Amino acid sequence: MIAAKELLAKHKPAVIGGALALVLLSWLCWYFSDRQVIKRQLTALTWDLGKASRQESTMETALKMRDVKAALAESCCTLIVPERSRQAESAERDLAVMYLMHYRDRYETLTLSFDEMEIDFPAKGEAAVRSQARLRRQAGPEQSAAETTAPVLISLKKQDGDWKLTQAEVAEALIGDDLRR
Protein backbone atom coordinates (compact mmCIF):
# COMPACT_ATOMS: atom_id res chain seq x y z
CA MET A 1 0.00 0.00 0.00
CA ILE A 2 2.78 2.40 0.91
CA ALA A 3 4.71 1.45 -2.24
CA ALA A 4 1.64 2.24 -4.37
CA LYS A 5 1.27 5.67 -2.73
CA GLU A 6 4.95 6.42 -3.31
CA LEU A 7 4.67 5.27 -6.93
CA LEU A 8 1.56 7.43 -7.41
CA ALA A 9 3.32 10.42 -5.83
CA LYS A 10 6.31 10.02 -8.16
CA HIS A 11 4.18 9.68 -11.29
CA LYS A 12 1.31 12.02 -10.35
CA PRO A 13 1.62 14.22 -13.49
CA ALA A 14 1.67 11.13 -15.75
CA VAL A 15 -1.40 9.63 -14.03
CA ILE A 16 -3.33 12.90 -14.24
CA GLY A 17 -2.26 13.38 -17.87
CA GLY A 18 -3.30 9.82 -18.71
CA ALA A 19 -6.70 10.29 -17.06
CA LEU A 20 -7.26 13.59 -18.93
CA ALA A 21 -6.20 11.97 -22.19
CA LEU A 22 -8.67 9.12 -21.59
CA VAL A 23 -11.49 11.59 -20.89
CA LEU A 24 -10.59 13.63 -24.00
CA LEU A 25 -10.41 10.52 -26.17
CA SER A 26 -13.80 9.33 -24.89
CA TRP A 27 -15.36 12.72 -25.58
CA LEU A 28 -13.88 12.86 -29.10
CA CYS A 29 -15.19 9.37 -29.91
CA TRP A 30 -18.65 10.42 -28.73
CA TYR A 31 -18.57 13.84 -30.46
CA PHE A 32 -17.50 12.44 -33.83
CA SER A 33 -19.74 9.37 -33.69
CA ASP A 34 -22.16 9.01 -36.61
CA ARG A 35 -25.15 9.58 -34.31
CA GLN A 36 -23.82 12.94 -33.07
CA VAL A 37 -22.70 14.01 -36.56
CA ILE A 38 -26.22 13.37 -37.91
CA LYS A 39 -27.82 15.27 -35.02
CA ARG A 40 -25.55 18.26 -35.62
CA GLN A 41 -26.19 18.13 -39.36
CA LEU A 42 -29.99 18.13 -38.97
CA THR A 43 -29.82 20.84 -36.32
CA ALA A 44 -27.74 22.96 -38.71
CA LEU A 45 -30.44 22.55 -41.36
CA THR A 46 -33.02 24.23 -39.17
CA TRP A 47 -33.56 27.76 -40.24
CA ASP A 48 -35.41 30.89 -39.31
CA LEU A 49 -36.79 33.51 -41.68
CA GLY A 50 -37.44 36.81 -39.94
CA LYS A 51 -38.91 40.05 -41.20
CA ALA A 52 -35.53 41.70 -41.70
CA SER A 53 -34.38 39.03 -44.13
CA ARG A 54 -37.72 39.05 -45.99
CA GLN A 55 -36.36 41.84 -48.20
CA GLU A 56 -33.39 39.76 -49.35
CA SER A 57 -32.85 39.10 -53.02
CA THR A 58 -33.30 35.72 -54.66
CA MET A 59 -29.52 35.37 -54.87
CA GLU A 60 -29.13 35.95 -51.12
CA THR A 61 -31.80 33.35 -50.43
CA ALA A 62 -30.07 30.89 -52.76
CA LEU A 63 -26.77 31.43 -50.97
CA LYS A 64 -28.45 30.65 -47.64
CA MET A 65 -29.81 27.42 -49.12
CA ARG A 66 -26.31 26.12 -49.94
CA ASP A 67 -26.28 24.11 -46.70
CA VAL A 68 -29.55 22.43 -47.66
CA LYS A 69 -28.21 21.59 -51.12
CA ALA A 70 -25.01 20.18 -49.63
CA ALA A 71 -27.03 17.89 -47.33
CA LEU A 72 -29.00 16.31 -50.21
CA ALA A 73 -27.75 13.18 -51.97
CA GLU A 74 -26.42 13.82 -55.46
CA SER A 75 -28.25 10.93 -57.07
CA CYS A 76 -31.83 11.46 -55.92
CA CYS A 77 -33.89 12.67 -53.01
CA THR A 78 -37.42 11.33 -52.49
CA LEU A 79 -40.22 13.17 -50.67
CA ILE A 80 -43.09 11.01 -49.43
CA VAL A 81 -46.40 12.41 -48.17
CA PRO A 82 -48.44 9.40 -46.92
CA GLU A 83 -51.75 11.30 -46.55
CA ARG A 84 -51.67 12.25 -50.23
CA SER A 85 -50.33 8.85 -51.35
CA ARG A 86 -47.66 10.88 -53.04
CA GLN A 87 -44.04 10.15 -53.69
CA ALA A 88 -42.00 12.76 -55.52
CA GLU A 89 -38.48 12.13 -56.66
CA SER A 90 -36.25 15.04 -57.41
CA ALA A 91 -33.41 13.94 -59.62
CA GLU A 92 -31.64 17.24 -59.13
CA ARG A 93 -30.68 18.91 -55.90
CA ASP A 94 -31.21 22.32 -57.53
CA LEU A 95 -34.88 21.53 -58.13
CA ALA A 96 -35.38 20.62 -54.46
CA VAL A 97 -33.72 23.89 -53.39
CA MET A 98 -35.91 25.88 -55.80
CA TYR A 99 -39.01 24.26 -54.25
CA LEU A 100 -37.81 25.18 -50.76
CA MET A 101 -37.13 28.77 -51.86
CA HIS A 102 -40.63 29.02 -53.33
CA TYR A 103 -42.17 27.65 -50.12
CA ARG A 104 -40.07 29.99 -48.01
CA ASP A 105 -41.11 33.07 -49.99
CA ARG A 106 -44.81 32.49 -49.24
CA TYR A 107 -44.45 33.38 -45.56
CA GLU A 108 -43.49 36.42 -43.54
CA THR A 109 -42.02 34.23 -40.80
CA LEU A 110 -40.97 30.61 -41.18
CA THR A 111 -39.10 28.55 -38.58
CA LEU A 112 -38.26 24.84 -38.70
CA SER A 113 -36.68 22.71 -35.98
CA PHE A 114 -36.28 19.02 -35.20
CA ASP A 115 -37.07 17.67 -31.73
CA GLU A 116 -36.70 14.26 -30.12
CA MET A 117 -34.39 12.71 -32.71
CA GLU A 118 -34.11 8.92 -32.65
CA ILE A 119 -31.36 7.62 -34.94
CA ASP A 120 -31.06 4.00 -36.06
CA PHE A 121 -28.50 2.39 -38.34
CA PRO A 122 -30.30 -0.37 -40.32
CA ALA A 123 -27.21 -1.18 -42.42
CA LYS A 124 -23.65 0.00 -42.81
CA GLY A 125 -23.60 3.47 -44.31
CA GLU A 126 -27.35 3.99 -43.81
CA ALA A 127 -29.25 5.87 -41.13
CA ALA A 128 -32.93 6.37 -40.33
CA VAL A 129 -33.97 9.35 -38.22
CA ARG A 130 -37.36 9.63 -36.55
CA SER A 131 -38.06 13.09 -35.27
CA GLN A 132 -40.75 15.59 -34.49
CA ALA A 133 -40.58 18.53 -36.87
CA ARG A 134 -41.83 21.81 -35.43
CA LEU A 135 -42.87 24.30 -38.11
CA ARG A 136 -43.90 27.84 -37.21
CA ARG A 137 -45.20 30.01 -40.02
CA GLN A 138 -46.92 33.34 -40.41
CA ALA A 139 -48.30 34.41 -43.78
CA GLY A 140 -48.50 38.13 -43.04
CA PRO A 141 -47.95 40.66 -40.27
CA GLU A 142 -51.71 40.91 -39.61
CA GLN A 143 -52.10 37.15 -39.07
CA SER A 144 -51.12 35.19 -36.01
CA ALA A 145 -48.37 32.61 -36.32
CA ALA A 146 -49.41 28.97 -36.62
CA GLU A 147 -47.27 26.19 -35.17
CA THR A 148 -47.45 22.63 -36.44
CA THR A 149 -45.71 19.61 -34.98
CA ALA A 150 -45.67 16.35 -36.91
CA PRO A 151 -43.46 13.29 -37.17
CA VAL A 152 -40.88 12.98 -39.95
CA LEU A 153 -38.82 10.02 -41.06
CA ILE A 154 -35.53 10.88 -42.74
CA SER A 155 -33.26 8.39 -44.50
CA LEU A 156 -29.59 9.18 -44.97
CA LYS A 157 -26.69 7.44 -46.72
CA LYS A 158 -23.02 7.98 -46.18
CA GLN A 159 -21.43 9.24 -49.41
CA ASP A 160 -17.78 10.28 -49.58
CA GLY A 161 -17.60 10.39 -45.78
CA ASP A 162 -20.63 12.69 -45.36
CA TRP A 163 -24.22 11.84 -44.45
CA LYS A 164 -26.57 12.80 -47.31
CA LEU A 165 -30.36 12.95 -47.16
CA THR A 166 -31.92 10.46 -49.60
CA GLN A 167 -35.55 10.34 -48.48
CA ALA A 168 -37.95 12.27 -46.27
CA GLU A 169 -41.39 11.12 -45.23
CA VAL A 170 -43.36 14.11 -43.93
CA ALA A 171 -46.90 14.70 -42.80
CA GLU A 172 -49.14 16.77 -45.03
CA ALA A 173 -49.58 19.28 -42.20
CA LEU A 174 -45.95 20.34 -42.64
CA ILE A 175 -46.19 21.10 -46.35
CA GLY A 176 -49.87 21.99 -46.64
CA ASP A 177 -50.85 25.56 -47.30
CA ASP A 178 -53.54 25.88 -44.64
CA LEU A 179 -52.62 29.47 -43.70
CA ARG A 180 -53.56 31.09 -47.03
CA ARG A 181 -57.24 30.76 -47.66
Side-chain angles (χ1 to χ4, degrees), residues 3-178:
K5 286 184 179 181
E6 288 177 12
L7 185 63
L8 184 61
K10 284 183 180 180
H11 301 290
K12 189 175 186 178
V15 171
I16 292 173
L20 288 176
L22 184 61
V23 168
L24 178 64
L25 185 62
S26 298
W27 181 80
L28 287 173
C29 288
W30 171 81
Y31 186 79
F32 290 109
S33 69
D34 285 336
R35 182 170 274 116
Q36 294 304 317
V37 168
I38 290 170
K39 279 185 179 182
R40 283 193 304 275
Q41 182 178 350
L42 290 178
T43 301
L45 285 180
T46 62
W47 34 272
D48 185 4
L49 172 65
K51 264 186 156 178
S53 60
R54 181 78 173 147
Q55 303 302 320
E56 70 192 12
S57 70
T58 304
M59 184 58 79
E60 289 172 319
T61 303
L63 289 173
K64 288 182 178 180
M65 292 289 184
R66 284 185 300 191
D67 293 338
V68 174
K69 183 178 177 180
L72 298 176
E74 288 185 30
S75 58
C76 182
C77 185
T78 306
L79 175 67
I80 300 171
V81 184
E83 294 93 343
R84 294 184 185 175
S85 299
R86 181 169 182 229
Q87 180 171 329
E89 291 189 13
S90 173
E92 295 184 23
R93 296 185 299 174
D94 292 332
L95 187 60
V97 170
M98 286 174 46
Y99 174 77
L100 285 173
M101 287 173 57
H102 173 72
Y103 187 79
R104 182 181 182 197
D105 285 341
R106 292 192 282 175
Y107 297 102
E108 185 75 21
T109 303
L110 187 63
T111 305
L112 172 71
S113 63
F114 296 105
D115 300 324
E116 305 169 18
M117 283 187 235
E118 295 176 18
I119 303 171
D120 295 320
F121 298 96
K124 185 174 179 152
E126 294 182 7
V129 180
R130 288 188 184 282
S131 180
Q132 290 291 320
R134 183 178 312 276
L135 182 67
R136 186 174 179 271
R137 53 192 168 182
Q138 182 178 8
E142 68 283 347
Q143 294 180 330
S144 61
E147 188 170 298
T148 306
T149 303
V152 294
L153 178 61
I154 300 170
S155 297
L156 299 112
K157 284 194 178 190
K158 200 164 198 174
Q159 297 175 347
D160 299 326
D162 295 323
W163 287 99
K164 302 291 185 171
L165 193 138
T166 57
Q167 180 176 305
E169 185 176 312
V170 300
E172 183 177 16
L174 293 174
I175 60 170
D177 201 14
D178 58 353

